[in-house]
């Protein structure tokens, strides 16, 4: 299938990005690229739901629309792609985009199994393209400030760590019956796993013990829904981490992280929208965010700015792909980060199934073949 229309985009913009998937996050990323990412242009949108893609393109002034991602990948005018399709398609699209020579930004998770992900990441490595995974918390100002302190040794050697995700809700989950099995680990807590890995940089996750249940929607427990989970992770440097998630926080969207170490403690995140408080006869109150795109609006934008900057630098020959970053601490989440977080998520699934601790698989499939 070909593009529905062919009016050329403004090719004076250095980085031309194609979007695959025009759903909730795809639409927000599209708006960011079109309006808030300097030096980038939203060049095309691909989605089997053509009506959705056309509506988004019309709102943002994007010229090229197609139902087939292959059209976008074969377009020589496109430098990079943002993959925001359903998670089950991510690994295949990463591999296809890399084979087509496109730099890749992919929403989490990068895959649903290690074998399929390793195949995709091998294609990225073979093509020499830039790959970035959408772990947006790294770009939130308070999480970056915490990471800067940790990199400077403020907390000392990590001993206890914590990360939590509590999605806003009303006490029930309207679409609960449509939530795929294991979503709480593969698509929700995977953010917390990356945060803990990032905060404990240099150490490897070794073992997990996960407990999960349907406490928000207990009548759906027998259908496989898990809406509440707590995970304990042991790291190679001895640190012990706890990650927790729930799909219905009545008070709003709550994302936090913490590292307690030999010299002190560093925290990031808060459950309120701002630091402002109201003190009245009714008591104390504060506004709380209700959407991910409210709490992480700037972080979602900045991760795409980082991606576009890297693509531009590589395309213009200003940076070799092996050149170390000039940033004061590790920021950009790349292939290994995507794999390590997914490995923890999959170990959690195994732990819940068996009711015992599970080992985290940190060895890539292609590395095993060499051993």
């Amino acid at each position: 299938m070909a593009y529905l229309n062919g009016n050329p985009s403004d090719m004076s913009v250095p980085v031309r990005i194609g979007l695959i998937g025009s759903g909730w996050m795809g639409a927000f990323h599209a708006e960011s690229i079109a309006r808030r990412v300097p030096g980038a242009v939203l060049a095309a949108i691909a989605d089997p739901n053509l009506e959705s893609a056309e509506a988004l393109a019309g709102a943002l002034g994007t010229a090229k629309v197609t139902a087939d991602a292959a059209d976008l990948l074969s377009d020589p005018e496109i430098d990079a792609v943002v993959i925001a399709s359903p998670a089950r398609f991510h690994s295949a699209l990463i591999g296809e985009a890399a084979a087509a020579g496109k730099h890749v930004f992919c929403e989490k998770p990068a895959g649903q199994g290690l074998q399929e992900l390793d195949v995709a990441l091998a294609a990225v490595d073979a093509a020499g393209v830039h790959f970035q995974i959408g772990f947006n918390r790294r770009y939130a100002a308070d999480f970056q400030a915490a990471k800067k302190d940790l990199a400077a040794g403020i907390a000392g050697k990590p001993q206890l760590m914590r990360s939590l995700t509590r999605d806003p809700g009303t006490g029930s989950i309207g679409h609960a019956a449509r939530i795929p099995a294991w979503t709480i680990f593969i698509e929700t807590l995977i953010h917390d796993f990356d945060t803990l890995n990032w905060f404990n940089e240099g150490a490897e996750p070794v073992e997990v013990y996960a407990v999960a249940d349907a406490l928000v929607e207990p009548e759906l427990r027998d259908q496989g829904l898990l809406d509440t989970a707590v995970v304990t992770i042991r790291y190679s440097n001895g640190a012990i981490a706890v990650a927790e998630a729930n799909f219905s926080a009545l008070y709003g969207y709550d994302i936090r992280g913490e590292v307690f170490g030999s010299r002190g403690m560093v925290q990031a995140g808060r459950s309120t929208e701002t630091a402002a408080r109201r003190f009245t006869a009714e008591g104390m109150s504060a506004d709380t965010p209700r959407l991910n795109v409210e709490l992480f609006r700037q972080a979602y934008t900045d991760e795409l700015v980082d991606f576009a900057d890297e693509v531009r630098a590589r395309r213009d020959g200003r940076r070799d792909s092996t050149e170390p970053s000039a940033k004061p601490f590790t920021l950009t989440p790349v292939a290994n980060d995507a794999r390590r977080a997914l490995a923890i998520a999959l170990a959690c699934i195994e732990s819940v199934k068996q009711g015992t601790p599970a080992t985290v698989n940190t060895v890539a499939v292609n590395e095993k073949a060499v051993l």
Side-chain angles (χ1 to χ4, degrees), residues 15-359:
V15 179
R16 298 175 293 275
I17 300 176
L19 173 72
I20 302 175
S22 59
W24 171 256
M25 278 314 305
F28 189 80
H29 285 324
E31 181 189 358
S32 296
I33 296 165
R35 296 175 177 170
R36 294 187 292 275
V37 178
V41 64
L42 182 63
I45 300 173
D47 195 313
N49 184 342
L50 206 49
E51 184 177 354
S52 170
E54 286 185 291
L56 181 60
L60 298 176
T62 302
K64 296 178 179 180
V65 179
T66 178
D68 190 349
D71 293 330
L72 190 152
L73 298 180
S74 64
D75 189 338
E77 295 182 339
I78 290 177
D79 302 306
V81 296
V82 168
I83 298 173
S85 63
R88 64 185 181 274
F89 301 120
H90 286 185
S91 286
L93 286 170
I94 291 169
E96 292 167 10
K102 310 300 184 187
H103 301 285
V104 181
F105 178 98
C106 183
E107 262 304 327
K108 54 76 191 169
Q112 294 187 307
L114 293 181
Q115 185 167 4
E116 68 176 44
L117 178 56
D118 286 341
V119 171
L121 296 181
V124 168
D125 187 59
V129 297
H130 177 53
F131 173 83
Q132 185 173 326
I133 184 72
F135 288 140
N136 58 288
R137 291 183 200 181
R138 295 187 179 208
Y139 294 86
D142 50 347
F143 279 81
Q144 280 199 35
K147 174 62 177 179
K148 183 178 180 181
D149 283 345
L150 292 169
I154 297 297
K157 181 181 178 181
Q159 296 173 349
L160 296 172
M161 302 192 299
R162 185 184 184 206
S163 182
L164 65 85
T165 297
R166 296 173 184 165
D167 291 336
T170 61
S172 64
I173 308 169
H175 62 288
R178 302 197 304 271
I179 297 175
W182 311 116
T183 291
I184 199 163
F185 298 121
I186 294 179
E187 298 198 39
T188 301
L189 278 165
I190 198 164
H191 276 298
D192 299 271
F193 301 151
D194 177 68
T195 297
L196 294 167
N197 289 341
W198 187 47
F199 279 177
N200 196 22
E201 191 167 4
E204 290 296 327
V206 176
E207 183 182 76
V208 305
Y209 179 62
V211 178
D213 203 345
L215 302 183
V216 182
E217 299 285 357
E219 70 280 3
L220 295 177
R221 182 181 294 113
D222 291 342
Q223 297 182 29
L225 174 69
L226 297 172
D227 54 41
T228 306
V230 176
V231 179
T232 302
I233 308 169
R234 295 189 65 91
Y235 280 87
S236 58
N237 63 349
I240 302 171
V242 174
E244 66 169 78
N246 183 280
F247 285 167
S248 186
L250 298 182
Y251 58 88
Y253 197 36
D254 188 1
I255 306 293
R256 285 175 276 153
E258 176 182 292
V259 176
F260 172 87
S262 57
R263 295 181 180 175
M265 181 174 67
V266 173
Q267 293 180 325
R270 60 171 179 250
S271 56
T272 58
E273 193 167 0
T274 70
R277 300 287 189 277
R278 303 183 193 92
F279 297 84
T280 68
E282 287 73 34
M284 184 183 73
S285 65
D287 292 329
T288 57
R290 298 285 166 165
L291 295 172
N292 58 338
V293 294
E294 292 175 350
L295 181 61
F296 289 119
R297 180 180 180 85
Q298 191 60 49
Y300 281 129
T301 300
D302 288 348
E303 66 180 352
L304 291 175
V305 171
D306 185 22
F307 177 67
D309 285 348
E310 179 65 24
V311 171
R312 183 183 306 107
R314 291 191 183 202
R315 195 185 71 171
D316 296 349
R318 292 187 287 108
R319 183 177 304 146
D320 184 89
S321 61
T322 60
E323 181 181 327
S325 171
K327 297 181 179 69
F329 54 84
T330 303
L331 175 63
T332 307
V334 293
N336 187 52
D337 301 307
R339 192 189 192 283
R340 291 166 77 230
L342 180 61
I344 296 176
L346 294 174
C348 288
I349 294 173
E350 186 65 22
S351 177
V352 170
K353 287 180 177 179
Q354 302 299 325
T356 61
T359 300

